[in-house]
Amino acid sequence: MKYIKNALSVILLMIFFSTVFICTLADLKIFLKIAVIIISSTAYFIKSFKAPQIKQDSRKLRHLNHGCNLIMLAGYSAVLETVLTIAICIKTDVSALTVIINSLFAGVFIIAMALNGILKTAVTSKQIKFIWYILLIFMWYIPPVNIIIFCHFYKTGKREFRFETARLDLEKVRAENSVCHTKYPILMVHGIFFRDWQYFNYWGRVPNALISYGAEIYYGNQQSAKSVAESAEELKNRILEVIKESGAEKVNIIAHSKGGLDSRYAISRLGMDKYVASLTTINTPHKGCDFVDNLLNTFPERFIKFVAKKYNRIFSRLGDNSPDFLAGILDLRASSCKKLDESLPDSPDVYYQSYMSQMKNFFSAGIPLNIGYLLIKKCNGKNDGLVWVESAKHGENFTLIENKFPRGISHGDMIDLFRENIKGFDIREFYTNIALNLKNMGY
């Protein structure tokens, strides 16, 4: 049905773009010519400015889909108008002036439709990368570069539209059944160099998805950079706050990166095993982060202290009480984590599981993860740009997440850092399955 609608749209638009030819060549009475112009003009403006309804009733997706469709219709119209013009020139004795006027008329409105589509797609899409916006701004008028840019916007926008509309259908069903409503609330614990800011969620789109499915979500709220022991103390206080606030007996912890070490310390050394039902660590360097060792060995001590001072000053202004850059990264060294790992025995009262992802090549992530990938691969093999695979193994169950596509999954991808829909891996689905499994296990 949609192909029939698209074909009818193109036909109506072609009538409009060929108005000058129709008025010149067709043996029609004046009122019929006027009717053709009115009908085709109406079709043009409806197609250009009115976004059709979609089943999910999402304003953003409605305009995204409309923008993509306008790019497609403009492309088809440009090709067909060119073919039609050539055919008319060959088959009829139409004057050169008529051809020029109609070409200008059609060209202006086709370009207007394409730019309208590009603008709508650019404003509503969250998957088009920044470099493509730069190319659009500076090269939209250069053929055939603009064709490549327009095609990329169309393909990316359409792929996002299909992905998100499918998710909306799934989310509606899951929300009705509260599939992620676990027995105990979920405490999400961030890694190093980040905070739990309300205006930039460390976990990207994940918390909203879990909440919509019935999960009760809290955040660790520890400072961005501290030693594992100090962060664990902050986490201990946060766990007790959550217990008091929620009325639950325990919490399920989902921790990323260094947050997994902070959580283990709080459980094993600070008595939090009484209040933690499960610990799920994601890309946590249980046996150390060799990338940190490489950086500390590469840069002079004076430079590292300079960076630490600047970092502590900046994050003090951003909300940390007493950030400690050096203490945080020194605890991530392989030697430090080895000692820590040996001193933190698992509690028999807590269920432990771990997950790890891996990059597949240098282009799976940007700086500094792509550089870290090369350095760690040389020494330890498979890694996510910061942590090598073997380092992340811990607990009763370990799962290595492998993407069959070349993109791979980096350390940042595991917290939806760039809000990117990765082909072959749905980050929201990943966390949904974690919560669903915890619920099924009685946690």
Side-chain angles (χ1 to χ4, degrees):
M1 181 60 70
K2 70 175 181 179
Y3 297 108
I4 295 175
K5 289 182 179 179
N6 289 336
L8 290 174
S9 299
V10 171
I11 291 172
L12 286 171
L13 291 173
M14 287 303 300
I15 293 173
F16 175 68
F17 295 142
S18 304
T19 297
V20 177
F21 282 147
I22 292 172
C23 293
T24 302
L25 299 174
D27 186 17
L28 300 174
K29 293 182 179 181
I30 185 66
F31 73 88
L32 288 177
K33 292 181 179 180
I34 294 174
V36 168
I37 294 172
I38 292 174
I39 293 172
S40 58
S41 299
T42 302
Y44 173 82
F45 286 106
I46 289 175
K47 275 294 173 186
S48 296
F49 299 102
K50 181 176 174 56
Q53 293 291 323
I54 59 173
K55 182 177 64 174
Q56 289 76 12
D57 195 31
S58 166
R59 187 171 183 272
K60 170 189 166 299
L61 292 179
R62 187 163 66 246
H63 286 288
L64 175 61
N65 186 49
H66 188 222
C68 293
N69 287 342
L70 289 179
I71 297 172
M72 177 194 67
L73 290 174
Y76 284 155
S77 298
V79 173
L80 292 176
E81 182 66 23
T82 301
V83 173
L84 179 63
T85 301
I86 294 173
I88 289 175
C89 290
I90 294 174
K91 297 293 185 180
T92 67
D93 295 328
V94 67
S95 66
L97 181 60
T98 300
V99 174
I100 292 172
I101 292 175
N102 191 83
S103 298
L104 290 174
F105 178 85
V108 167
F109 285 100
I110 289 174
I111 291 173
M113 176 174 279
L115 292 179
N116 186 18
I118 283 288
L119 181 61
K120 281 195 168 188
T121 305
V123 169
T124 54
S125 175
K126 295 182 178 180
Q127 299 301 311
I128 298 172
K129 294 187 177 180
F130 181 72
I131 183 64
W132 287 97
Y133 289 97
I134 299 299
L135 293 174
L136 175 66
I137 292 171
F138 292 103
M139 298 184 178
W140 70 268
Y141 56 88
I142 305 175
V145 177
N146 51 11
I147 296 176
I148 296 173
I149 295 172
F150 284 19
C151 286
H152 180 81
F153 270 71
Y154 170 77
K155 289 180 180 179
T156 305
K158 268 295 183 182
R159 187 164 56 244
E160 179 180 355
F161 171 75
R162 295 189 189 105
F163 182 88
E164 294 299 336
T165 50
R167 278 205 62 86
L168 285 177
D169 288 336
L170 183 62
E171 286 174 359
K172 185 177 180 180
V173 175
R174 285 176 167 173
E176 292 173 352
N177 296 310
S178 296
V179 296
C180 291
H181 184 65
T182 53
K183 180 179 179 180
Y184 305 114
I186 295 174
L187 180 64
M188 305 188 79
V189 180
H190 69 73
I192 196 168
F193 303 148
F194 275 91
R195 287 180 51 82
D196 287 316
W197 289 301
Q198 290 183 344
Y199 46 85
F200 183 80
N201 197 303
Y202 178 84
W203 303 90
R205 299 165 293 178
V206 171
N208 284 340
L210 294 178
I211 291 170
S212 69
Y213 300 159
E216 187 178 0
I217 299 295
Y218 294 88
Y219 300 104
N221 289 344
Q222 74 272 35
Q223 294 185 65
S224 66
K226 279 284 193 180
S227 68
V228 170
E230 291 173 304
S231 293
E233 187 66 38
E234 292 179 327
L235 191 55
K236 168 190 172 182
N237 296 330
R238 180 56 177 158
I239 292 172
L240 295 176
E241 286 179 2
V242 173
I243 293 294
K244 183 177 180 180
E245 183 178 338
S246 66
E249 297 177 355
K250 297 183 178 184
V251 297
N252 292 307
I253 297 179
I254 297 179
H256 176 253
S257 195
K258 177 179 174 286
L261 301 178
D262 302 337
S263 301
R264 285 183 61 193
Y265 195 104
I267 292 169
S268 299
R269 301 278 285 275
L270 303 181
M272 289 299 99
D273 54 322
K274 298 187 295 291
Y275 303 107
V276 177
S278 68
L279 171 61
T280 302
T281 61
I282 298 169
N283 294 47
T284 293
H286 295 285
K287 297 177 180 63
C289 184
D290 291 62
F291 185 56
V292 172
D293 292 86
N294 290 329
L295 289 177
L296 292 174
N297 292 332
T298 300
F299 294 104
E301 183 179 353
R302 184 177 179 182
F303 175 77
I304 294 173
K305 289 183 177 179
F306 170 79
V307 172
K309 184 178 180 180
K310 291 294 182 182
Y311 176 92
N312 294 340
R313 181 179 299 173
I314 291 172
F315 271 78
S316 293
R317 294 175 180 174
L318 292 176
D320 279 355
N321 294 325
S322 54
D324 193 336
F325 177 90
L326 274 177
I329 63 170
L330 289 176
D331 270 1
L332 292 177
R333 294 175 300 176
S335 56
S336 301
C337 285
K338 182 180 179 182
K339 293 178 182 177
L340 189 65
D341 188 49
E342 294 171 350
S343 67
L344 299 177
D346 290 346
S347 168
D349 298 324
V350 179
Y351 171 71
Y352 295 84
Q353 62 178 343
S354 56
Y355 291 86
M356 179 63 183
S357 68
Q358 63 174 327
M359 293 170 58
K360 286 194 172 182
N361 53 62
F362 178 82
F363 301 101
S364 293
I367 295 174
L369 294 179
N370 50 7
I371 297 174
Y373 168 77
L374 294 179
L375 293 173
I376 299 172
K377 183 181 180 182
K378 185 177 180 180
C379 300
N380 305 107
K382 297 178 181 179
N383 66 88
D384 66 355
L386 282 179
V387 182
W388 52 295
V389 169
E390 293 299 316
S391 179
K393 291 183 178 181
H394 184 80
E396 299 173 42
N397 290 302
F398 169 75
T399 303
L400 176 62
I401 302 163
E402 297 185 273
N403 190 350
K404 64 180 181 180
F405 296 98
R407 166 70 168 75
I409 306 165
S410 73
H411 195 81
D413 292 330
M414 292 303 292
I415 53 168
D416 198 28
L417 184 61
F418 302 106
R419 282 61 170 168
E420 180 181 355
N421 294 337
I422 300 172
K423 189 176 181 180
F425 177 70
D426 185 344
I427 187 65
R428 286 169 285 185
E429 193 71 8
F430 167 74
Y431 281 93
T432 297
N433 287 330
I434 290 177
L436 182 59
N437 291 336
L438 289 174
K439 178 184 177 180
N440 292 336
M441 294 173 68
Y443 297 118

